[in-house]
Amino acid sequence: MNTHNQTRQTRFNWIDQTKGLAILAIIIFHFFQNYPERSQLISILDRNGAKLGYAAVDIFFLMAGFNTSYALISKLQKNQIEQIKTKTNWKSWLIKRLYRIYPAYILAFMLSCLLYFLDNIKINLNLNFFLSFIGIAGIRFQSINPGFWFFTVILEAYLLTPLIFLFCKNKPSRILVLGLIGAIITKILAFYFLISDDTKTYLFFLQNNFIGSYLFQFCLGLYWGFIYAEHKIFRKIDFIVASILFSVGIIICAILTIFKLKYIYMLGIDMLFTPLFFLGIQALLSRLEKIGKIGRILSFISILGIYSYQIYLIHQPLYFVLLPKLNYVIQINNYLKIGVSLMIVSILLSIYVFSFIKLEQFIMKMFETVMNKQN
């Protein structure tokens, strides 16, 4: 997610485009997930869209790790990587990260409440409402917007980042191993609570609200941030290992399918598929960028990527309010209704996102002006 932008000197188009594709997959998935009429077609699109949604979320956390380490390391020379510990003021770094993610989150929370108020949707002003407002509702459940779980987890990731670097002594291989071990432990715990019929605890460890569910992806991103900062390209060995992991994942899924056994993507399959998904997307985008005819499409996808964090925060409440109304008002063929609803929602979401971004920029500019006057 675009929780912190890189500078112009270190920004790569494929990074924005990757996030753009990921947020596009998520908003389409959530459209079908929240579509009121549960026809067979919608169920199929929802079920298959979920797979894209899960993969996209994994990509976001990998990108969050990649952007974090690349931004830190690219400022140093090759022989200075060991000096990250002394050159990085982690307190200052963390404050900057929080400054970049909290204002948009608080604004999204308030506007979501306003949407519900105007639509006469009841809001419970309880403890969980307050926990959601400050972004730590993961210890119970998210209020207002289920999508706010991402903020909780990215907050956990940023709080954990200095500890990861210090504990692993800035060694990329150690960071990768730490992420792998932490993720495996999380998957084992999730499976244990699954077979113990403790659904609530199982879901907590499986996905949402807990960084352990995405620790491998985040640490893999941190690892590849080191690699890309040094080589300015992903190595052949990265593609080979990612391809092997992907092949293992395909074989496991095929065997389970043959024996008619259901598999849960987040119980380890995600760790096998995500590396090649990411590298494949990056390689494809790098090649497509050289084709002039699709430049406008890639530019649009880049814009989605730049503002993917804001889009993620605000799109679901708009779905909650709009989709039931459109389903009631539009009385045409069901297939046409889906297309018309998707088109209308896309237009209104674009307007909402544009307005949200402008309002966020205005508020931040006002805040900075006041702070500068005080200083």
Side-chain angles (χ1 to χ4, degrees):
M1 210 69 65
N2 191 36
T3 53
H4 63 283
N5 294 334
Q6 294 171 297
T7 63
R8 291 183 181 273
Q9 290 76 14
T10 59
R11 195 179 200 97
F12 298 97
N13 289 332
W14 66 264
I15 291 179
D16 294 329
Q17 292 161 5
T18 299
K19 290 186 290 187
L21 290 174
I23 194 60
L24 187 61
I26 286 175
I27 60 179
I28 292 175
F29 158 53
H30 283 157
F31 173 86
F32 294 114
Q33 183 186 53
N34 293 287
Y35 195 79
E37 289 188 1
R38 306 311 297 175
S39 64
Q40 183 177 5
L41 175 61
I42 290 296
S43 297
I44 293 173
L45 292 172
D46 181 13
R47 185 167 58 251
N48 289 281
K51 298 175 183 178
L52 289 176
Y54 291 143
V57 168
D58 290 336
I59 293 297
F60 272 130
F61 281 104
L62 196 157
M63 292 301 305
F66 178 91
N67 287 340
T68 296
S69 59
Y70 183 87
L72 289 170
I73 298 162
S74 60
K75 298 175 183 178
L76 306 174
Q77 300 297 323
K78 290 183 179 180
N79 60 354
Q80 291 181 311
I81 292 180
E82 289 297 326
Q83 298 179 37
I84 293 177
K85 186 174 181 180
T86 58
K87 286 183 173 289
T88 302
N89 183 331
W90 286 112
K91 180 180 178 181
S92 175
W93 177 88
L94 185 57
I95 290 174
K96 289 179 181 178
R97 300 287 83 71
L98 298 181
Y99 178 74
R100 290 177 181 178
I101 65 174
Y102 255 109
Y105 175 78
I106 298 299
L107 182 59
F109 187 96
M110 295 174 65
L111 290 181
S112 296
C113 290
L114 179 61
L115 271 179
Y116 295 157
F117 174 77
L118 295 176
D119 197 50
N120 294 319
I121 297 177
K122 184 179 179 181
I123 300 175
N124 295 318
L125 302 178
N126 51 22
L127 174 61
N128 201 62
F129 177 89
F130 173 74
L131 293 176
S132 291
F133 179 73
I134 61 177
I136 58 172
I139 59 175
R140 296 182 66 188
F141 61 90
Q142 296 289 345
S143 177
I144 305 301
N145 181 356
F148 284 163
W149 71 266
F150 178 83
F151 178 87
T152 301
V153 180
I154 202 66
L155 177 63
E156 294 170 0
Y158 285 154
L159 292 173
L160 194 61
T161 295
L163 298 178
I164 291 175
F165 273 84
L166 296 175
F167 179 77
C168 296
K169 298 181 180 179
N170 307 313
K171 302 290 185 180
S173 58
R174 292 185 183 181
I175 292 175
L176 183 59
V177 170
L178 175 66
L180 182 62
I181 293 173
I184 291 175
I185 293 174
T186 301
K187 307 300 181 184
I188 293 174
L189 287 172
F191 182 75
Y192 170 77
F193 288 111
L194 172 64
I195 62 177
S196 300
D197 292 325
D198 187 346
T199 303
K200 184 177 179 180
T201 309
Y202 156 67
L203 291 175
F204 175 82
F205 283 105
L206 181 71
Q207 65 183 101
N208 297 4
N209 301 317
F210 179 54
I211 183 58
S213 306
Y214 305 95
L215 188 60
F216 171 72
Q217 288 83 349
F218 185 69
C219 286
L220 177 61
L222 291 174
Y223 170 79
W224 271 338
F226 277 88
I227 300 303
Y228 204 85
E230 181 178 356
H231 301 280
K232 296 298 184 290
I233 194 173
F234 293 107
R235 304 162 303 174
K236 185 177 180 180
I237 186 65
D238 297 316
F239 284 91
I240 292 175
V241 174
S243 298
I244 293 173
L245 292 176
F246 184 83
S247 300
V248 171
I250 290 292
I251 293 172
I252 292 175
C253 291
I255 292 174
L256 293 175
T257 301
I258 291 173
F259 287 96
K260 297 181 179 180
L261 298 173
K262 293 183 178 180
Y263 59 87
I264 300 172
Y265 181 79
M266 289 295 295
L267 277 181
I269 302 298
D270 56 322
M271 297 167 59
L272 299 174
F273 283 0
T274 302
L276 190 60
F277 282 163
F278 171 74
L279 292 179
I281 291 172
Q282 188 274 334
L284 176 62
L285 289 172
S286 296
R287 285 168 173 76
L288 289 177
E289 196 172 30
K290 298 176 183 179
I291 304 176
K293 294 182 179 180
I294 62 173
R296 290 185 179 180
I297 297 176
L298 292 179
S299 296
F300 171 72
I301 294 175
S302 292
I303 293 173
L304 291 179
I306 292 171
Y307 298 109
S308 56
Y309 176 58
Q310 290 86 344
I311 295 172
Y312 196 102
L313 289 177
I314 66 175
H315 76 279
Q316 281 199 86
L318 191 66
Y319 285 175
F320 299 156
V321 172
L322 281 180
L323 287 177
K325 288 179 171 54
L326 291 176
N327 185 62
Y328 178 77
V329 172
I330 302 174
Q331 296 298 323
I332 56 177
N333 177 277
N334 285 336
Y335 296 108
L336 288 176
K337 183 190 290 188
I338 295 171
V340 172
S341 297
L342 182 58
M343 182 176 62
I344 294 174
V345 167
S346 298
I347 293 172
L348 294 178
L349 179 60
S350 299
I351 296 173
Y352 187 34
V353 169
F354 177 80
S355 302
F356 179 88
I357 292 170
K358 290 299 181 182
L359 180 58
E360 179 194 7
Q361 292 174 345
F362 174 77
I363 292 174
M364 293 303 294
K365 186 176 181 179
M366 291 288 290
F367 177 77
E368 290 173 0
T369 301
V370 172
M371 293 299 295
N372 291 333
K373 288 182 178 180
Q374 290 181 351
N375 295 332

